[in-house]
Amino acid sequence: MKQKRQIIVLVVLVVVAVLIWGFQWRSQTPALQTQNFIQDYKVLAVENPQIRWGELERAQKTEYKSNGRNPFSIVAPPTAEQIRVTNANKPKDPPPPPPPPPPPTEAHLPPNLKFFGYGIVGNGTPRLAFFYDGEVEYIVSEGDTLLGRYRILKIGNANVEFQEISSGLPGTTPLEEQAAPPSV
């Protein structure tokens, strides 16, 4: 008996569920909505619903001519009077600064560094150049660097050819005919 009751309650619940589902489906049916829409349709009052080809061609041939106003801005462009007053009040531009000096074409050693001689230690060894800056003597051979900034390329009898390492500019310094620096 208990099982019979449960089956009857189940059948009643299924029937109620089917009825609820049927009412929901019926209210959402697009055919019914379309039918209602067609019944409420009102025709627009247009004299001639034909395409007007002349007006269409004229509209397609028009060109946009800007007056300088940004069509996406609500701010109006300044008037000619406002522009004239602004230009009259604007200070004159100063002359442009002079152009920078041309880059150097030749490297120079520091003014206190003097080339005062050259020498050879033995047969088959490269020449040595002697430099003096007032305090320290520098002895370099061809291919060495002087002060970490100049590479010695060639040591001649009357001058030294070098290259500034950072810029790659070549340079020459003459032999200075002076007495040798004092020995320490």
Side-chain angles (χ1 to χ4, degrees), residues 129-148:
F130 304 108
F131 291 92
Y132 181 69
D133 70 353
E135 296 178 10
V136 180
E137 293 179 15
Y138 300 97
I139 302 172
V140 292
S141 65
E142 292 178 355
D144 287 349
T145 58
L146 176 63
L147 301 174

PDB file of all heavy atoms in Angstrom, residues 129-148:
ATOM      1  N   ALA A 129     108.980  55.459 -28.078  1.00  0.00           N
ATOM      2  CA  ALA A 129     108.772  56.909 -28.030  1.00  0.00           C
ATOM      3  C   ALA A 129     108.739  57.326 -26.572  1.00  0.00           C
ATOM      4  O   ALA A 129     108.200  56.629 -25.713  1.00  0.00           O
ATOM      5  CB  ALA A 129     107.463  57.270 -28.723  1.00  0.00           C
ATOM      6  N   PHE A 130     109.324  58.509 -26.309  1.00  0.00           N
ATOM      7  CA  PHE A 130     109.402  59.023 -24.948  1.00  0.00           C
ATOM      8  C   PHE A 130     108.513  60.259 -24.838  1.00  0.00           C
ATOM      9  O   PHE A 130     108.671  61.221 -25.596  1.00  0.00           O
ATOM     10  CB  PHE A 130     110.855  59.367 -24.590  1.00  0.00           C
ATOM     11  CG  PHE A 130     111.804  58.212 -24.759  1.00  0.00           C
ATOM     12  CD1 PHE A 130     112.714  58.195 -25.803  1.00  0.00           C
ATOM     13  CD2 PHE A 130     111.770  57.134 -23.884  1.00  0.00           C
ATOM     14  CE1 PHE A 130     113.585  57.130 -25.965  1.00  0.00           C
ATOM     15  CE2 PHE A 130     112.640  56.067 -24.048  1.00  0.00           C
ATOM     16  CZ  PHE A 130     113.552  56.062 -25.087  1.00  0.00           C
ATOM     17  N   PHE A 131     107.588  60.217 -23.886  1.00  0.00           N
ATOM     18  CA  PHE A 131     106.675  61.335 -23.643  1.00  0.00           C
ATOM     19  C   PHE A 131     106.851  61.788 -22.207  1.00  0.00           C
ATOM     20  O   PHE A 131     107.203  61.011 -21.325  1.00  0.00           O
ATOM     21  CB  PHE A 131     105.211  60.897 -23.852  1.00  0.00           C
ATOM     22  CG  PHE A 131     104.870  60.599 -25.279  1.00  0.00           C
ATOM     23  CD1 PHE A 131     104.987  59.316 -25.786  1.00  0.00           C
ATOM     24  CD2 PHE A 131     104.408  61.598 -26.121  1.00  0.00           C
ATOM     25  CE1 PHE A 131     104.658  59.040 -27.091  1.00  0.00           C
ATOM     26  CE2 PHE A 131     104.082  61.323 -27.429  1.00  0.00           C
ATOM     27  CZ  PHE A 131     104.214  60.046 -27.918  1.00  0.00           C
ATOM     28  N   TYR A 132     106.593  63.087 -21.987  1.00  0.00           N
ATOM     29  CA  TYR A 132     106.731  63.668 -20.658  1.00  0.00           C
ATOM     30  C   TYR A 132     105.581  64.655 -20.451  1.00  0.00           C
ATOM     31  O   TYR A 132     105.290  65.474 -21.317  1.00  0.00           O
ATOM     32  CB  TYR A 132     108.097  64.384 -20.562  1.00  0.00           C
ATOM     33  CG  TYR A 132     108.368  65.014 -19.229  1.00  0.00           C
ATOM     34  CD1 TYR A 132     108.593  64.228 -18.106  1.00  0.00           C
ATOM     35  CD2 TYR A 132     108.431  66.403 -19.089  1.00  0.00           C
ATOM     36  CE1 TYR A 132     108.853  64.807 -16.886  1.00  0.00           C
ATOM     37  CE2 TYR A 132     108.698  66.991 -17.871  1.00  0.00           C
ATOM     38  CZ  TYR A 132     108.907  66.184 -16.767  1.00  0.00           C
ATOM     39  OH  TYR A 132     109.168  66.749 -15.558  1.00  0.00           O
ATOM     40  N   ASP A 133     104.901  64.566 -19.276  1.00  0.00           N
ATOM     41  CA  ASP A 133     103.783  65.486 -19.023  1.00  0.00           C
ATOM     42  C   ASP A 133     104.083  66.475 -17.912  1.00  0.00           C
ATOM     43  O   ASP A 133     103.195  67.120 -17.388  1.00  0.00           O
ATOM     44  CB  ASP A 133     102.506  64.708 -18.704  1.00  0.00           C
ATOM     45  CG  ASP A 133     102.547  64.006 -17.353  1.00  0.00           C
ATOM     46  OD1 ASP A 133     103.607  63.999 -16.704  1.00  0.00           O
ATOM     47  OD2 ASP A 133     101.505  63.452 -16.963  1.00  0.00           O
ATOM     48  N   GLY A 134     105.323  66.642 -17.551  1.00  0.00           N
ATOM     49  CA  GLY A 134     105.712  67.570 -16.499  1.00  0.00           C
ATOM     50  C   GLY A 134     106.002  66.846 -15.195  1.00  0.00           C
ATOM     51  O   GLY A 134     106.719  67.359 -14.354  1.00  0.00           O
ATOM     52  N   GLU A 135     105.452  65.679 -14.994  1.00  0.00           N
ATOM     53  CA  GLU A 135     105.679  64.922 -13.773  1.00  0.00           C
ATOM     54  C   GLU A 135     106.116  63.488 -14.043  1.00  0.00           C
ATOM     55  O   GLU A 135     106.980  62.962 -13.374  1.00  0.00           O
ATOM     56  CB  GLU A 135     104.399  64.880 -12.930  1.00  0.00           C
ATOM     57  CG  GLU A 135     103.944  66.229 -12.423  1.00  0.00           C
ATOM     58  CD  GLU A 135     102.653  66.129 -11.629  1.00  0.00           C
ATOM     59  OE1 GLU A 135     102.218  65.013 -11.320  1.00  0.00           O
ATOM     60  OE2 GLU A 135     102.089  67.186 -11.327  1.00  0.00           O
ATOM     61  N   VAL A 136     105.481  62.851 -15.067  1.00  0.00           N
ATOM     62  CA  VAL A 136     105.721  61.434 -15.319  1.00  0.00           C
ATOM     63  C   VAL A 136     106.235  61.255 -16.741  1.00  0.00           C
ATOM     64  O   VAL A 136     105.791  61.936 -17.665  1.00  0.00           O
ATOM     65  CB  VAL A 136     104.404  60.625 -15.141  1.00  0.00           C
ATOM     66  CG1 VAL A 136     104.625  59.158 -15.404  1.00  0.00           C
ATOM     67  CG2 VAL A 136     103.825  60.827 -13.748  1.00  0.00           C
ATOM     68  N   GLU A 137     107.178  60.324 -16.899  1.00  0.00           N
ATOM     69  CA  GLU A 137     107.664  59.966 -18.236  1.00  0.00           C
ATOM     70  C   GLU A 137     106.942  58.702 -18.683  1.00  0.00           C
ATOM     71  O   GLU A 137     106.732  57.777 -17.901  1.00  0.00           O
ATOM     72  CB  GLU A 137     109.179  59.686 -18.200  1.00  0.00           C
ATOM     73  CG  GLU A 137     110.013  60.887 -17.896  1.00  0.00           C
ATOM     74  CD  GLU A 137     111.494  60.558 -17.852  1.00  0.00           C
ATOM     75  OE1 GLU A 137     111.899  59.471 -18.341  1.00  0.00           O
ATOM     76  OE2 GLU A 137     112.241  61.363 -17.309  1.00  0.00           O
ATOM     77  N   TYR A 138     106.595  58.669 -19.977  1.00  0.00           N
ATOM     78  CA  TYR A 138     105.928  57.510 -20.558  1.00  0.00           C
ATOM     79  C   TYR A 138     106.795  56.989 -21.681  1.00  0.00           C
ATOM     80  O   TYR A 138     107.244  57.761 -22.535  1.00  0.00           O
ATOM     81  CB  TYR A 138     104.548  57.889 -21.120  1.00  0.00           C
ATOM     82  CG  TYR A 138     103.606  58.456 -20.073  1.00  0.00           C
ATOM     83  CD1 TYR A 138     103.461  59.828 -19.913  1.00  0.00           C
ATOM     84  CD2 TYR A 138     102.872  57.602 -19.252  1.00  0.00           C
ATOM     85  CE1 TYR A 138     102.599  60.344 -18.977  1.00  0.00           C
ATOM     86  CE2 TYR A 138     102.008  58.114 -18.308  1.00  0.00           C
ATOM     87  CZ  TYR A 138     101.878  59.491 -18.173  1.00  0.00           C
ATOM     88  OH  TYR A 138     101.030  60.001 -17.226  1.00  0.00           O
ATOM     89  N   ILE A 139     107.024  55.688 -21.701  1.00  0.00           N
ATOM     90  CA  ILE A 139     107.797  55.054 -22.763  1.00  0.00           C
ATOM     91  C   ILE A 139     106.870  54.030 -23.416  1.00  0.00           C
ATOM     92  O   ILE A 139     106.415  53.083 -22.768  1.00  0.00           O
ATOM     93  CB  ILE A 139     109.068  54.368 -22.210  1.00  0.00           C
ATOM     94  CG1 ILE A 139     109.927  55.394 -21.472  1.00  0.00           C
ATOM     95  CG2 ILE A 139     109.837  53.696 -23.335  1.00  0.00           C
ATOM     96  CD1 ILE A 139     111.103  54.790 -20.732  1.00  0.00           C
ATOM     97  N   VAL A 140     106.582  54.240 -24.708  1.00  0.00           N
ATOM     98  CA  VAL A 140     105.659  53.355 -25.429  1.00  0.00           C
ATOM     99  C   VAL A 140     106.285  52.952 -26.751  1.00  0.00           C
ATOM    100  O   VAL A 140     107.122  53.661 -27.310  1.00  0.00           O
ATOM    101  CB  VAL A 140     104.293  54.041 -25.679  1.00  0.00           C
ATOM    102  CG1 VAL A 140     103.546  54.257 -24.388  1.00  0.00           C
ATOM    103  CG2 VAL A 140     104.456  55.339 -26.429  1.00  0.00           C
ATOM    104  N   SER A 141     105.860  51.784 -27.264  1.00  0.00           N
ATOM    105  CA  SER A 141     106.330  51.336 -28.575  1.00  0.00           C
ATOM    106  C   SER A 141     105.157  51.352 -29.545  1.00  0.00           C
ATOM    107  O   SER A 141     104.011  51.584 -29.159  1.00  0.00           O
ATOM    108  CB  SER A 141     106.937  49.934 -28.472  1.00  0.00           C
ATOM    109  OG  SER A 141     105.938  49.006 -28.111  1.00  0.00           O
ATOM    110  N   GLU A 142     105.427  51.094 -30.806  1.00  0.00           N
ATOM    111  CA  GLU A 142     104.374  51.081 -31.818  1.00  0.00           C
ATOM    112  C   GLU A 142     103.360  49.996 -31.466  1.00  0.00           C
ATOM    113  O   GLU A 142     103.726  48.867 -31.149  1.00  0.00           O
ATOM    114  CB  GLU A 142     104.960  50.839 -33.205  1.00  0.00           C
ATOM    115  CG  GLU A 142     105.817  51.988 -33.700  1.00  0.00           C
ATOM    116  CD  GLU A 142     106.438  51.723 -35.057  1.00  0.00           C
ATOM    117  OE1 GLU A 142     106.298  50.614 -35.586  1.00  0.00           O
ATOM    118  OE2 GLU A 142     107.084  52.641 -35.579  1.00  0.00           O
ATOM    119  N   GLY A 143     102.064  50.339 -31.494  1.00  0.00           N
ATOM    120  CA  GLY A 143     100.992  49.407 -31.157  1.00  0.00           C
ATOM    121  C   GLY A 143     100.539  49.509 -29.716  1.00  0.00           C
ATOM    122  O   GLY A 143      99.479  49.000 -29.369  1.00  0.00           O
ATOM    123  N   ASP A 144     101.325  50.155 -28.839  1.00  0.00           N
ATOM    124  CA  ASP A 144     100.924  50.330 -27.439  1.00  0.00           C
ATOM    125  C   ASP A 144      99.927  51.482 -27.315  1.00  0.00           C
ATOM    126  O   ASP A 144      99.753  52.283 -28.220  1.00  0.00           O
ATOM    127  CB  ASP A 144     102.152  50.647 -26.569  1.00  0.00           C
ATOM    128  CG  ASP A 144     103.047  49.435 -26.364  1.00  0.00           C
ATOM    129  OD1 ASP A 144     102.609  48.323 -26.721  1.00  0.00           O
ATOM    130  OD2 ASP A 144     104.171  49.619 -25.871  1.00  0.00           O
ATOM    131  N   THR A 145      99.284  51.554 -26.145  1.00  0.00           N
ATOM    132  CA  THR A 145      98.379  52.667 -25.864  1.00  0.00           C
ATOM    133  C   THR A 145      99.041  53.615 -24.872  1.00  0.00           C
ATOM    134  O   THR A 145      99.773  53.188 -23.973  1.00  0.00           O
ATOM    135  CB  THR A 145      97.036  52.184 -25.290  1.00  0.00           C
ATOM    136  OG1 THR A 145      97.287  51.460 -24.115  1.00  0.00           O
ATOM    137  CG2 THR A 145      96.278  51.331 -26.285  1.00  0.00           C
ATOM    138  N   LEU A 146      98.752  54.887 -25.065  1.00  0.00           N
ATOM    139  CA  LEU A 146      99.296  55.933 -24.207  1.00  0.00           C
ATOM    140  C   LEU A 146      98.140  56.537 -23.423  1.00  0.00           C
ATOM    141  O   LEU A 146      97.147  56.970 -24.023  1.00  0.00           O
ATOM    142  CB  LEU A 146      99.982  57.002 -25.062  1.00  0.00           C
ATOM    143  CG  LEU A 146     100.536  58.228 -24.348  1.00  0.00           C
ATOM    144  CD1 LEU A 146     101.641  57.826 -23.383  1.00  0.00           C
ATOM    145  CD2 LEU A 146     101.060  59.240 -25.344  1.00  0.00           C
ATOM    146  N   LEU A 147      98.243  56.540 -22.109  1.00  0.00           N
ATOM    147  CA  LEU A 147      97.225  57.064 -21.207  1.00  0.00           C
ATOM    148  C   LEU A 147      95.884  56.346 -21.372  1.00  0.00           C
ATOM    149  O   LEU A 147      94.844  56.873 -21.018  1.00  0.00           O
ATOM    150  CB  LEU A 147      97.022  58.574 -21.419  1.00  0.00           C
ATOM    151  CG  LEU A 147      98.245  59.467 -21.221  1.00  0.00           C
ATOM    152  CD1 LEU A 147      97.926  60.893 -21.607  1.00  0.00           C
ATOM    153  CD2 LEU A 147      98.706  59.401 -19.770  1.00  0.00           C
ATOM    154  N   GLY A 148      95.874  55.159 -21.963  1.00  0.00           N
ATOM    155  CA  GLY A 148      94.646  54.400 -22.162  1.00  0.00           C
ATOM    156  C   GLY A 148      93.704  55.037 -23.165  1.00  0.00           C
ATOM    157  O   GLY A 148      92.550  54.635 -23.286  1.00  0.00           O
TER     158      GLY A 148
END
